[in-house]
């Protein structure tokens, strides 16, 4: 099974690359077909009741693969939504064979990550995912390439090395690289050891999930990646970080209970602290998103923020928290993919994602607007979209354990999300159309199909949480979490009460309709020119009136002290120090043979002293 | 069976007959001599692989049985390294067919053969004085190779190499003399058998002399001052031989002496400390380099440091991982140096500034750099991944977690400067002159890249050798018994 997937994605990638040299269009369709077939295969694996495969490798290492509810959920999300994103590439202008190659490689790597059942194959797939997504950064528009490539690769390998250390420690202790066997054999390890492993894993996966303060690569790498790849990058790759996070928490952190680690309302202190990191990420990411001037960068910070919610939920480790987190991970993949895809469409047609240079595209790209609106509604957690139940569950998870402050921070993050959501929507689609965008056309058909699927799923899963919850419940049961109280197709009952997503969504829809009807039925409307509106009838020449520069100036002014505290200062200091130190060390190579002879003599003398002295 | 001693005989004959071939068949023939030599040698090495993996091959010369007379002892480790060295030699020989080597070219070819012959001799010999002789052959040939470009930089680099190299060889000789004075034998297995009889103080002195002496060739700190200058000054084919063959012989010397001959774990830790210092200092020094060739030289120091750490850790897995890393270093650095050689021949500079945008202009060369760099920083599905994961896992398992952390710190620094290289290659636009790649140089680097990928997919191709080799190093008794016979 795994061999089939590997062959499909990686050989497919090579074939697509070669075909792409001849005909890009054809290769793009083939890319889509491969991605879709891969998702279908993955679906088939689970339907067939799972599998387990082992391959012998060098030394003590072997590869082992299998599937469970968690792998299925994340794998299906990555491959299924991945195929939807890939569809848009068929009519994307800046497509290159290399990009298609890398996209399939990334998808293949994600399928392996989710199926992997041992550290070596997991790490292998993880690193393939890293370098293939890294390579796409060279195919972007090159606005901040320098920073993006450097930060992304360095952060990724630092994360990967923490993982490697943790895996190595587990391997050294248990003598196996298989997940399940390792966990079984870790019955009586010292506390500090387990603690180190968990922290290493949390840092390692935290980098991919861009948890503050490990996030500084994301706001550069996401915008810099090719527009068509960004939905996969931000929507799906980051979810692999979440997947790993889940494993780290549920394989290991829960064992903290056996060591008498203090608990706060049933959540161990370490989890509680990580939850705080998640909450701060949610809030800080949103605040930073507010002041961004480029759409992709705004969404990148928003991704950081949304992943913060997910980490918050996972770190709590309660049924509600985990359910909400996984739901929100799916939710983020859907709406952030949709939004990035919409931005890709805007950039393809209008040539820029600079919010100051866009505006008034609503009549030129109405469908893009409508689907971007759905994405924004989901992002803000407004029914009837998928963001509503997922965020609701997360809030409840905080409230249920009486974590007042942390929940307040999460709420505040949502408020900030409204601010940047509005800026995004307004600056691109509303207001005055710029002259150079008079001839902008709507995006091509395949984009619209992708929009439709994503928007449709976003609303469907928002109205009927009962379609998603069984999958999450399977995961919870597998990891020995108590199931949620009850849920039906449209409603969820938790310890805090019941809410009915369908009813809420329908009510929202109905009130929207009523408003629309009132708008159309009542009052006499006089269509006037936009400028006429702006100047109250004064006769003024055509001038640019679109207002988006310094959109939230008042906010930026008030929050200046907060914006000034940044983890980047520390990293800057650290990297400057390393460079300074490295340069100092380099001076050891003085370039003078006498100096080298001096080292030689000193070293030998030193050794003789040490060995004869004792 | 073809006797492996032919590797040395053929090399010597061919090396000194280069001018004669030239006189007999014309100047043009000379450049095929290294190719023919290494092809024959590689064949000999390969046919001996299955035999050496079964049981160490002991070649007796002049009819004297060990411990008397000079003999070759080739176990899994020796045949693995000999094959690797000859393979690198063969690729460089193909490369020089269409690479403009410095004049007088016949001497360059001669030195090339001698350097490779010396390195293979080091890994095959069973006699410690012979080891010194081969060390001198390979060193002196390398000094001349380093100076052969005849620019100011190359002569300067070669001078530093001579100063340090000759001191190193002298120390090795002194160490050998100390042991000989005590035991009256030069056979490595015989010394190993009687090592307990050596006076402790003398043994310590000899060990320290060996470690500092061989550290010069193994590029270990602080005896590696020659590396940046000599690498930068030497012609690219020679540099590929330095990294691919001679550094490996240095590593072999250290491993053989401290595992088989002396066999005292107290020095293994010293090797690790030297290794980790070498690693960190090499990587840190590379951080700000603006010249690609010099950067690769520093990176080479760092990689050799990693090999030393792994070999010093002293378990089967770590030694195997270290040897795997040594193999990867030879192949990958060979790829990077030789590809850079093609580029420099066209661009006329190895300064990173002048290579801006080259990856976009020359996608294939860019891809080769990309593969090489990804393999160096340990990314799958390339060969470097396996050695990295093997070394890190096994070092943690050997309870050296601090060393594992330091290795990874070094690796992270490595990534920091290689990402700078990639960034330069793929951003901006290329402004240098037009140039084309000749078929044969292109073929050489393609083969190296393919080796990296194939080993990445089938790591067993290498672990099949490095595990027996590591076992050989840890099993002193087997080695001694194989040479001297009887019970140990």
């Amino acid at each position: 099974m795994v061999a089939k997937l590997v062959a499909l994605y990686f050989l497919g990638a090579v074939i697509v690359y070669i075909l792409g040299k001849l005909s890009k269009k054809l290769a793009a369709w083939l890319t889509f077909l491969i991605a879709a077939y891969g998702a279908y295969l993955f679906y088939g694996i689970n339907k067939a009741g799972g599998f387990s495969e082992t391959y012998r490798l060098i030394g003590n290492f072997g590869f082992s693969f299998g599937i469970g509810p968690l792998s299925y959920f994340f794998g299906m999300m990555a491959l299924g939504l991945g195929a939807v994103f890939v569809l848009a590439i068929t009519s994307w202008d800046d497509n290159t064979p290399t990009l298609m190659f890398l996209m399939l490689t990334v998808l293949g790597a994600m399928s392996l990550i989710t199926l992997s059942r041992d550290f070596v194959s997991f790490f292998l797939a993880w690193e393939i995912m890293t370098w293939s997504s890294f390579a796409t950064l060279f195919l972007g528009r090159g606005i901040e390439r320098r920073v993006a490539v450097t930060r992304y690769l360095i952060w990724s390998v630092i994360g990967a090395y923490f993982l490697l250390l943790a895996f190595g420690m587990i391997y050294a202790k248990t003598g196996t690289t298989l997940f399940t066997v390792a966990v079984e054999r870790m019955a009586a390890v010292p506390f500090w050891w387990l603690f180190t492993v968990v922290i290493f894993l949390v840092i390692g996966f935290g980098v991919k999930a861009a948890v503050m303060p490990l996030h500084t690569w994301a706001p550069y790498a996401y915008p810099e990646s090719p527009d068509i790849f960004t939905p996969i990058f931000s929507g799906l790759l980051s979810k692999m970080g979440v997947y790993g996070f889940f494993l780290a928490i549920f394989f290991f952190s829960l064992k903290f209970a056996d060591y008498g680690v203090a608990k706060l309302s049933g959540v161990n202190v370490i989890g509680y602290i990580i939850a705080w990191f998640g909450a701060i990420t949610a809030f800080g990411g949103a605040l930073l998103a507010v002041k961004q001037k480029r759409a992709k960068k705004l969404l990148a910070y928003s991704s950081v923020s949304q992943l913060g919610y997910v980490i918050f939920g996972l770190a709590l480790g309660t049924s509600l928290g985990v359910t909400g987190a996984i739901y929100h991970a799916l939710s983020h993949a859907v709406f952030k993919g949709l939004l990035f895809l919409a931005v890709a469409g805007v950039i393809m047609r209008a040539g820029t994602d600079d919010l100051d240079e866009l505006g008034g595209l609503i009549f030129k790209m109405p469908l893009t607007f409508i689907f971007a609106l759905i994405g924004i509604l989901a992002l803000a957690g407004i029914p009837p979209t998928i963001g509503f139940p997922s965020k609701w569950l997360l809030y409840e998870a905080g409230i249920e354990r009486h974590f007042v402050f942390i929940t307040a921070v999460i709420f505040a993050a949502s408020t900030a999300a409204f601010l940047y959501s509005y800026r995004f929507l307004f600056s691109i689609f509303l207001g005055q159309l710029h002259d150079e965008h008079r001839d902008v056309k709507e995006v091509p058909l395949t984009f619209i199909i992708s929009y439709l699927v994503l928007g449709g799923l976003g609303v469907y899963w928002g109205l009927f949480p009962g379609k998603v919850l069984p999958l999450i419940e399977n995961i919870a049961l597998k990891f020995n979490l108590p199931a949620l109280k009850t849920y039906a197709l449209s409603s969820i009952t938790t310890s805090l009460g019941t809410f009915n997503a369908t009813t809420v969504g329908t009510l929202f829809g109905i009130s929207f309709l009523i408003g629309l009807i009132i708008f159309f039925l009542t009052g006499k409307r006089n269509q006037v020119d936009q400028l006429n509106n702006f100047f109250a009838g004064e006769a003024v020449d055509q001038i640019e009136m679109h207002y988006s520069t310094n959109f939230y100036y008042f906010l930026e002014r008030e929050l200046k002290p907060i914006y000034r505290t940044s983890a980047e200062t520390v990293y800057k200091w650290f990297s400057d120090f390393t460079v300074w130190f490295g340069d100092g060390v380099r001076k050891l190579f003085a370039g003078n043979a006498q100096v080298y002879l001096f080292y030689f003599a000193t070293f030998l003398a030193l050794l003789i002293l040490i060995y004869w002295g004792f | 069976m073809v006797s492996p001693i032919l590797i040395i005989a053929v090399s010597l004959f061919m090396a000194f007959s280069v001018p004669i071939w030239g006189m007999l068949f014309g100047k043009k023939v000379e450049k095929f001599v290294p190719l023919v030599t290494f092809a024959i040698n590689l064949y000999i090495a390969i046919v001996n692989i299955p035999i050496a993996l079964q049981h160490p091959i002991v070649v007796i010369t002049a009819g004297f049985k060990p411990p008397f007379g000079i003999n070759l002892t080739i176990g899994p480790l020796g045949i693995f390294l000999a094959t690797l060295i000859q393979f690198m030699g063969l690729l460089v020989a193909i490369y020089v067919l269409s690479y403009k080597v410095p004049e007088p070219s016949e001497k360059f070819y001669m030195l090339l053969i001698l350097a490779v012959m010396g390195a293979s001799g080091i890994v095959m010999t069973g006699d410690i004085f012979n080891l010194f002789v081969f060390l001198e052959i390979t060193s002196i040939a390398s000094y001349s190779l380093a100076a052969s470009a005849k620019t100011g930089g190359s002569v300067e680099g070669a001078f530093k190499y001579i100063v340090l190299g000759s001191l190193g060889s002298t120390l090795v000789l002194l160490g050998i003399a100390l042991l000989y004075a005590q035991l009256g034998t030069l056979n490595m297995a015989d010394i190993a058998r009687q090592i307990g009889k050596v006076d402790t103080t003398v043994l310590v002195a000899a060990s320290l002399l060996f470690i500092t002496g061989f550290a010069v060739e193994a590029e270990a700190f602080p005896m590696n001052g020659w590396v940046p200058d000599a690498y930068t000054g030497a012609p690219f084919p020679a540099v590929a031989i330095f990294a691919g063959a001679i550094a490996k012989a240095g590593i072999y010397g250290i491993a053989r002496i401290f595992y088989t001959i002396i066999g005292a774990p107290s020095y293994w830790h010293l090797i690790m400390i030297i290794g980790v210092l070498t690693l960190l200092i090499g990587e840190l020094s590379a951080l700000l380099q603006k010249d690609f060739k010099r950067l690769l030289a520093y990176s080479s120091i760092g990689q050799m440091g990693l090999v030393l750490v792994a070999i010093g850790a002293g378990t089967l897995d770590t030694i195997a991982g270290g040897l795997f890393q040594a193999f990867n270093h030879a192949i990958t650095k060979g790829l990077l140096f030789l590809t850079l050689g093609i580029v420099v021949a066209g661009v006329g500079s190895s300064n990173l500034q002048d290579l801006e945008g080259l990856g976009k202009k020359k996608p294939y060369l860019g891809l080769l750099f990309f593969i090489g760099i990804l393999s160096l920083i340990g990314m799958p599905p390339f060969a470097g991944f396996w050695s990295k994961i093997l070394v890190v896992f096994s070092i943690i398992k050997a309870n050296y977690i601090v060393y594992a952390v330091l290795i990874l710190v070094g690796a992270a620094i490595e990534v920091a400067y290689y990402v700078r290289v990639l960034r330069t290659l793929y951003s901006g636009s290329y402004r240098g002159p037009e140039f084309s790649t000749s078929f044969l140089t292109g073929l050489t680097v393609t083969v190296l890249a393919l080796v990296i990928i194939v080993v990445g997919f089938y790591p067993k191709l290498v672990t099949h050798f490095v595990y027996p080799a590591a076992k050989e190093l840890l099993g002193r008794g087997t080695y001694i018994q194989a040479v001297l016979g009887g019970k140990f």
Side-chain angles (χ1 to χ4, degrees):
Chain A
M1 213 49 238
V2 171
K4 225 176 186 175
L5 278 173
V6 167
L8 178 71
Y9 281 111
F10 297 111
L11 281 184
V14 175
I15 293 168
V16 159
Y17 177 81
I18 295 166
L19 185 63
K21 294 272 177 199
L22 305 171
S23 157
K24 271 187 209 168
K25 201 88 186 164
L26 215 61
W29 278 105
L30 184 62
T31 313
F32 167 67
L33 285 180
I34 290 172
Y37 183 60
Y40 171 75
L41 267 184
F42 199 91
Y43 175 73
I45 297 176
N46 195 53
K47 209 158 186 209
F51 76 111
S52 171
E53 280 172 18
T54 315
Y55 300 90
R56 286 285 306 147
L57 252 175
I58 53 170
N60 293 329
F61 304 144
F63 278 177
S64 172
F65 298 96
I67 194 164
L70 183 71
S71 323
Y72 174 65
F73 188 87
F74 277 87
M76 209 51 228
M77 177 165 86
L79 301 183
L81 292 178
V84 179
F85 298 148
V86 167
L87 176 60
I89 204 179
T90 50
S91 53
W92 193 58
D93 291 347
D94 299 337
N95 194 11
T96 60
T98 319
L99 181 60
M100 291 183 278
F101 172 87
L102 293 171
M103 273 176 137
L104 283 182
T105 317
V106 167
L107 288 179
M110 288 196 289
S111 76
L112 284 183
I113 288 175
T114 49
L115 292 179
S116 164
R117 287 292 175 273
D118 69 290
F119 298 123
V120 180
S121 64
F122 185 90
F123 192 68
L124 181 124
W126 188 264
E127 291 286 65
I128 291 181
M129 180 178 82
T130 296
W131 72 253
S132 46
S133 53
F134 162 75
T136 63
L137 298 182
F138 289 110
L139 305 170
R141 284 181 304 143
I143 296 168
E144 285 174 319
R145 177 177 296 163
R146 209 184 137 79
V147 187
V149 294
T150 313
R151 287 202 184 170
Y152 182 49
L153 192 63
I154 293 180
W155 273 109
S156 294
V157 299
I158 288 175
Y161 290 164
F162 273 104
L163 292 184
L164 192 57
L165 276 176
F167 293 165
M169 284 171 75
I170 297 170
Y171 166 70
K173 202 83 180 176
T174 60
T176 177
T177 57
L178 300 174
F179 289 162
T180 43
V181 183
V183 173
E184 275 166 23
R185 289 191 194 164
M186 275 169 53
V189 289
F191 174 72
W192 66 266
W193 188 91
L194 183 65
F195 181 74
T196 318
V197 166
V198 169
I199 293 299
F200 282 2
L201 289 175
V202 163
I203 293 176
F205 292 123
V207 169
K208 249 324 172 261
V211 183
M212 280 183 181
L214 311 170
H215 70 289
T216 58
W217 58 271
Y220 293 90
Y222 289 161
E224 190 49 47
S225 59
D227 306 326
I228 204 77
F229 183 71
T230 321
I232 297 182
F233 200 175
S234 161
L236 307 178
L237 243 83
S238 61
K239 298 304 169 301
M240 293 299 120
V242 173
Y243 173 76
F245 221 92
F246 187 98
L247 291 180
I249 301 257
F250 283 92
F251 269 149
F252 306 118
S253 303
L254 291 185
K255 284 182 180 275
F256 284 153
D258 307 341
Y259 295 89
V261 170
K263 285 196 167 190
L264 292 166
S265 342
V267 173
N268 75 59
V269 175
I270 296 161
Y272 180 72
I273 292 169
I274 298 174
W276 261 110
F277 275 103
I280 290 168
T281 308
F283 185 62
L287 274 191
L288 286 163
V290 163
K291 64 171 201 173
Q292 297 310 317
K293 294 178 181 60
R294 284 178 53 207
K296 283 184 82 175
K297 202 147 183 161
L298 184 151
L299 291 179
Y301 272 111
S302 154
S303 287
V304 173
S305 166
Q306 298 299 320
L307 266 290
Y309 284 92
V310 177
I311 299 301
F312 159 78
L314 282 184
L316 288 184
T318 60
S319 312
L320 255 183
V322 170
T323 311
I326 295 179
Y327 207 142
H328 198 62
L330 176 67
S331 166
H332 178 253
V334 171
F335 68 70
K336 199 46 68 67
L338 182 55
L339 286 172
F340 269 122
L341 211 55
V343 173
V346 168
I347 294 176
M348 186 164 91
R349 291 307 195 210
T352 179
D353 70 331
D354 192 327
L355 294 176
D356 293 353
E357 291 170 18
L358 290 165
L361 287 175
I362 180 166
F363 291 116
K364 298 289 171 192
M365 309 175 80
L367 288 171
T368 308
F369 169 73
I370 289 171
F371 286 104
L373 180 65
I374 293 177
I376 286 290
L377 289 181
L379 171 65
I382 298 168
T385 57
I386 186 168
F388 172 65
S390 63
K391 276 197 176 174
W392 184 277
L393 286 169
L394 282 171
Y395 297 144
E396 284 204 342
I399 296 167
E400 178 202 39
R401 300 287 159 157
H402 310 294
F403 294 144
V404 182
F405 291 110
I406 210 167
T407 315
V409 172
I410 293 274
F411 268 120
S414 278
T415 317
F418 280 119
L419 292 175
Y420 69 72
S421 299
Y422 179 64
R423 180 178 195 172
F424 175 83
L425 216 53
F426 171 81
S427 304
I428 297 179
F429 295 105
L430 307 178
Q432 188 188 9
L433 187 69
H434 287 252
D435 275 340
E436 66 267 30
H437 297 148
R438 299 261 169 237
D439 302 327
V440 163
K441 287 197 293 278
E442 182 56 275
V443 289
L445 183 67
T446 52
F447 265 77
I448 294 168
I449 296 173
S450 295
Y451 287 168
L452 261 173
V453 175
L454 292 167
L457 287 175
V459 174
Y460 180 66
W461 284 334
L463 285 175
F464 305 111
K467 286 284 167 192
V468 180
L469 286 171
L471 296 172
I472 302 179
E473 192 183 34
N474 282 342
I475 301 173
L477 291 175
K478 172 101 194 228
F479 288 90
N480 297 326
L481 279 169
L484 286 181
K485 257 188 183 161
T486 41
Y487 59 85
L489 180 62
S490 51
S491 65
I492 308 172
T493 308
T494 66
S495 56
L496 300 175
T498 305
F499 79 91
N500 190 318
T502 317
T503 318
V504 176
T506 319
L507 284 178
F508 253 77
I510 290 172
S511 40
F512 179 75
L513 273 180
I514 292 173
L516 209 65
I517 290 165
I518 294 173
F519 175 76
F520 278 118
L521 288 184
T522 59
K524 216 179 89 192
R525 279 187 316 282
N526 197 5
Q527 289 280 351
V528 293
D529 182 68
Q530 202 173 28
L531 281 176
N532 201 343
N533 206 351
F534 286 174
F535 295 108
E538 291 284 330
V540 181
D541 289 341
Q542 282 293 104
I543 52 163
E544 296 267 305
M545 281 294 296
H546 190 61
Y547 165 71
S548 71
T549 313
N550 277 335
F551 201 80
Y552 284 122
Y553 176 68
F554 65 99
L555 205 68
E556 290 178 34
R557 192 183 55 207
E558 300 308 322
L559 295 177
K560 225 173 203 164
I562 297 185
Y563 281 131
R564 221 179 285 141
T565 45
S566 162
E568 293 190 23
T569 333
V570 181
Y571 301 137
K572 176 87 171 52
W573 178 85
F574 185 74
S575 96
D576 286 349
F577 172 78
T578 314
V579 166
W580 172 81
F581 187 67
D583 198 44
V585 167
R586 187 192 53 82
K587 293 204 174 90
L588 284 175
F589 293 99
N592 185 331
Q594 289 173 7
V595 176
Y596 295 148
L597 281 182
F598 171 74
Y599 292 159
F600 208 132
T602 320
F603 185 69
L604 190 56
L606 196 72
L607 286 186
I608 289 174
L609 269 180
I610 292 171
Y611 274 85
W612 275 349
F614 298 107
Chain B
M1 181 187 138
V2 191
S3 171
I5 202 166
L6 282 175
I7 292 181
I8 289 156
V10 169
S11 300
L12 277 176
F13 172 74
M14 293 299 253
F16 292 116
S17 63
V18 172
I20 300 172
W21 295 111
M23 276 191 285
L24 288 178
F25 303 105
K27 262 308 223 182
K28 280 221 160 76
V29 178
E30 283 170 357
K31 66 178 170 188
F32 291 100
V33 178
L35 179 71
V36 174
T37 316
F38 297 137
I40 296 171
N41 288 349
L42 186 61
Y43 169 75
I44 299 171
I46 288 173
V47 295
N48 277 297
I49 286 176
I51 308 163
L53 284 181
Q54 290 282 322
H55 189 267
I57 305 171
V58 181
V59 182
I60 297 159
T61 55
F64 291 108
K65 277 212 169 123
F68 306 106
I70 292 172
N71 68 320
L72 297 185
T73 308
I74 307 151
L77 177 63
I79 201 75
F80 170 65
L81 287 177
T83 314
L84 175 65
I85 288 168
Q86 294 298 337
F87 178 68
M88 289 308 294
L90 180 65
L91 286 181
V92 169
I94 298 172
Y95 186 82
V96 294
L97 289 181
S98 61
Y99 183 86
K100 202 180 166 314
V101 299
E103 291 296 328
S105 57
E106 73 272 15
K107 290 190 179 135
F108 186 86
Y109 300 131
M110 193 191 285
L111 291 167
L112 202 62
I113 299 175
L114 284 177
V116 172
M117 184 277 278
S120 339
I122 291 177
V123 301
M124 293 193 305
T125 184
D127 181 285
I128 199 164
F129 186 73
N130 213 336
L131 184 73
F132 167 73
V133 172
F134 283 124
L135 181 68
E136 279 292 61
I137 293 175
T138 195
S139 306
I140 291 170
S142 314
Y143 308 151
S144 325
L145 280 176
S148 63
K150 285 189 287 211
T151 58
S154 97
V155 173
E156 191 192 332
F159 173 71
K160 288 167 197 164
Y161 192 5
I162 291 177
V163 171
L164 291 174
S166 52
L167 186 59
S169 321
T170 315
L171 295 186
V172 170
L173 183 61
L174 211 55
I176 294 170
L178 286 177
L179 289 185
Y180 184 62
Q182 293 265 319
L183 297 176
T185 175
L186 288 169
N187 184 289
M188 291 185 347
D190 203 24
I191 299 176
R193 190 178 57 179
Q194 303 182 53
I195 201 76
K197 295 183 195 157
V198 180
D199 178 73
T200 331
T201 321
V202 174
L203 187 61
V204 168
S207 309
L208 297 180
L209 291 171
F210 283 134
I211 204 164
T212 38
F214 275 107
V216 177
E217 301 300 338
E219 303 177 7
F221 182 81
M223 278 66 79
N224 53 11
W226 60 276
V227 174
D229 291 321
Y231 271 53
T232 315
F236 282 96
V239 180
I241 291 294
F242 291 172
I246 291 162
K248 301 293 143 338
I251 291 286
Y252 171 88
I254 291 180
R256 177 61 81 205
I257 286 177
F258 286 95
Y259 279 94
T260 306
I261 297 184
I262 295 175
S266 59
Y267 298 102
W268 300 352
H269 203 192
L270 176 66
I271 296 173
M272 282 186 90
I273 293 171
I274 293 178
V276 90
L277 278 175
T278 310
L279 168 70
L280 290 175
I281 288 171
E283 305 291 19
L284 278 170
S285 304
L287 200 53
L288 280 184
Q289 286 309 313
K290 295 191 172 53
D291 186 286
F292 197 5
K293 199 178 180 188
R294 210 175 172 83
L295 182 146
L296 287 177
Y298 281 116
S299 156
S300 182
I301 295 177
Q303 297 273 315
M304 294 314 285
L306 177 55
V307 175
L308 283 174
V309 178
I311 287 182
T315 68
L316 185 68
D317 285 331
T318 59
I319 296 175
L323 293 172
F324 201 152
Q325 178 65 34
F327 171 84
N328 284 342
H329 173 254
I331 302 289
T332 322
K333 273 289 148 53
L335 168 66
L336 289 175
F337 274 124
L338 293 179
T339 313
L340 186 61
I342 298 173
V343 170
V344 170
V347 180
S349 155
S350 59
N351 203 317
L352 275 175
Q353 247 176 6
D354 299 323
L355 304 183
E356 207 169 78
L358 187 90
K360 287 187 283 187
K361 177 85 184 170
K362 295 268 173 201
Y364 188 62
L365 292 180
L367 178 71
L368 292 173
F369 278 130
F370 204 83
I371 291 176
I373 288 174
L374 285 186
S375 177
L376 266 187
I377 63 179
M379 290 286 178
F382 306 109
F385 174 77
W386 297 108
S387 60
K388 162 86 91 6
I389 203 164
L390 197 56
V391 167
V392 172
F393 273 32
S394 59
I395 281 195
I396 296 176
K397 187 148 196 195
N399 257 329
Y400 289 115
I401 185 148
V402 178
Y403 285 89
V405 172
L406 290 175
I407 287 173
L408 292 177
V409 168
I413 299 170
E414 194 174 21
V415 171
Y417 61 80
Y418 276 121
V419 74
R420 192 161 55 87
V421 173
L422 288 177
R423 202 175 68 200
T424 315
L425 288 175
Y426 285 99
S427 48
S429 52
Y430 177 67
R431 291 180 306 269
E434 288 286 323
F435 67 92
S436 60
T437 310
S438 71
F439 172 72
L440 286 173
T441 50
L443 176 77
T444 320
V445 285
T446 307
V447 169
L448 285 167
L450 282 179
V451 171
I452 290 176
I453 294 171
V454 169
V455 172
F457 277 98
Y458 300 102
K460 268 189 186 151
L461 285 179
V462 178
T463 50
H464 185 62
F465 297 102
V466 291
Y467 271 96
K471 217 169 269 168
E472 180 198 343
L473 279 176
L474 286 172
R476 296 179 70 211
T478 326
Y479 181 89
I480 295 168
Q481 197 186 355
V483 180
L484 301 176
K487 291 247 174 345
F488 170 61

